[in-house]
Amino acid sequence: MPFPHVPSWLRRVAALGLVSLLAGCAIAKPRTDDPLEKVNRKVYAFNDAVDQAVIRPVAVGYRKITNPPVRRSVSDFFTNLRQPVTVANDLLQARPKQALQSTGRFLVNLTLGIGGLFDPASSLGLPLQETDFGVTLARWGVPEGDYIVLPFLGPSTVRDVWQVPVDGYFFDPLTIYARNHSYHYGQQYIPQLVYLVNLRSRAFDAESFLKSAYDPYVFVRDAYRQRRLYKIYDGNPPASVIDQMQGLDQQGFDPDELLQEQHHWENKHPKQADQGDPPGSH
């Protein structure tokens, strides 16, 4: 596991970092291939309760004692530190060009970026590209499998769950460091905790989208699948795959009916719907 000795409830933060990427996702009719939905919803509710009771307050405190430039540098540092995960999986996917580019980005930010606290690589034409073992399995033809929600870790699939032990144990510098160092009070896990809290704090700006969603569970599920699909196809998935993912290929699908359902919910919950408006829209 990627954080074998970190208190398990803190692992939830990593999954919540995903929410910060959901803003603006166009989610169509929910897919019906969710055979574990009944169990998944219970785990989703449990994770949300833990987040509201413990993890979110910690992230609130983090934001109060830091400013945006500091948080940006912390994010840049950990993003660059985890680039070996991408490099390793690029090689496993037989993509040497991408592996070379990610290696160059890592080295530029490590040196010119003062240990990764800044991101000069992007300005030099080396954009961030992230991949993982779940994407590696997909590129080699392993089927997605059922959608699952893991306690503390959040959304995944039967295929994607393998990135947890593989990337976490073999490629993640944070885990490798913690595994090979031991201090009396467990200080070797402090970098992991800071990384996780920083991820959760980045999700604050997207919380309103979840609050205004017709069904937050479905929103997270479909947004997760959409994001994974775009990762697998380098941001350009075939139209037929998009249609299948969004349910557009289902017989009898009526997008107007979906919009009516959303508008009906918004009319019954005006305060939550207003919270989902983009900043400055009023």
Side-chain angles (χ1 to χ4, degrees):
M1 301 297 286
F3 311 110
H5 302 293
V6 176
S8 58
W9 56 266
L10 280 172
R11 301 177 194 172
R12 165 67 173 150
V13 186
L16 287 174
L18 164 69
V19 180
S20 64
L21 301 174
L22 301 184
C25 287
I27 307 302
K29 183 180 180 180
R31 285 169 49 171
T32 57
D33 54 335
D34 186 3
L36 303 176
E37 180 174 355
K38 186 176 181 180
V39 175
N40 283 338
R41 282 186 179 274
K42 291 180 180 179
V43 178
Y44 176 87
F46 168 77
N47 287 345
D48 185 63
V50 172
D51 173 63
Q52 294 300 316
V54 182
I55 304 172
R56 191 180 189 280
V58 173
V60 169
Y62 170 74
R63 289 178 71 97
K64 286 183 178 180
I65 64 174
T66 59
N67 56 30
V70 169
R71 292 195 294 273
R72 189 180 311 113
S73 290
V74 172
S75 294
D76 287 344
F77 172 79
F78 284 112
T79 297
N80 193 62
L81 188 62
R82 287 177 53 81
Q83 276 292 284
V85 175
T86 290
V87 173
N89 279 285
D90 278 334
L91 293 174
L92 290 175
Q93 295 166 23
R95 306 205 309 169
K97 179 180 178 181
Q98 286 81 356
L100 184 62
Q101 176 177 298
S102 295
T103 300
R105 176 184 172 84
F106 173 72
L107 294 176
V108 167
N109 283 346
L110 193 64
T111 53
L112 299 181
I114 312 178
L117 293 174
F118 303 97
D119 181 23
S122 295
S123 301
L124 295 175
L126 294 170
L128 176 64
Q129 178 256 332
E130 294 179 304
T131 189
D132 52 63
F133 192 67
V135 175
T136 297
L137 292 177
R139 290 184 181 276
W140 287 107
V142 177
E144 180 185 42
D146 294 339
Y147 174 77
I148 54 178
V149 181
L150 302 172
F152 307 110
L153 293 175
S156 186
T157 64
V158 173
R159 179 182 63 205
D160 288 345
V161 75
W162 285 100
Q163 70 179 286
V164 176
V166 175
D167 290 342
Y169 188 84
F170 293 106
F171 308 137
D172 183 6
L174 290 173
T175 304
I176 294 172
Y177 174 82
R179 191 169 65 243
N180 290 282
H181 292 78
S182 179
Y183 300 101
H184 187 67
Y185 297 104
Q187 295 96 322
Q188 66 269 27
Y189 302 114
I190 291 178
Q192 291 178 329
L193 297 180
V194 175
Y195 168 63
L196 297 176
V197 171
N198 180 71
L199 276 181
R200 179 59 182 94
S201 72
R202 289 167 55 185
F204 276 38
D205 295 336
E207 286 183 343
S208 59
F209 287 88
L210 278 180
K211 292 179 180 178
S212 64
Y214 176 66
D215 185 336
Y217 167 81
V218 169
F219 180 88
V220 171
R221 181 190 66 191
D222 290 359
Y224 175 82
R225 281 171 155 167
Q226 176 171 305
R227 178 171 177 263
R228 296 299 293 176
L229 185 65
Y230 274 76
K231 239 181 181 181
I232 292 168
Y233 288 96
D234 289 327
N236 189 32
S240 59
V241 176
I242 297 177
D243 290 347
Q244 182 182 11
M245 176 196 67
Q246 295 184 327
L248 298 176
D249 61 341
Q250 298 178 16
Q251 186 175 4
F253 170 61
D254 184 357
D256 292 333
E257 180 181 351
L258 178 66
L259 289 175
Q260 289 176 3
E261 290 178 2
Q262 175 69 25
H263 292 156
H264 178 69
W265 182 90
E266 290 175 353
N267 290 334
K268 293 180 64 177
H269 306 82
K271 292 183 179 180
Q272 288 152 287
D274 288 342
Q275 288 177 329
D277 291 338
S281 61
H282 294 292

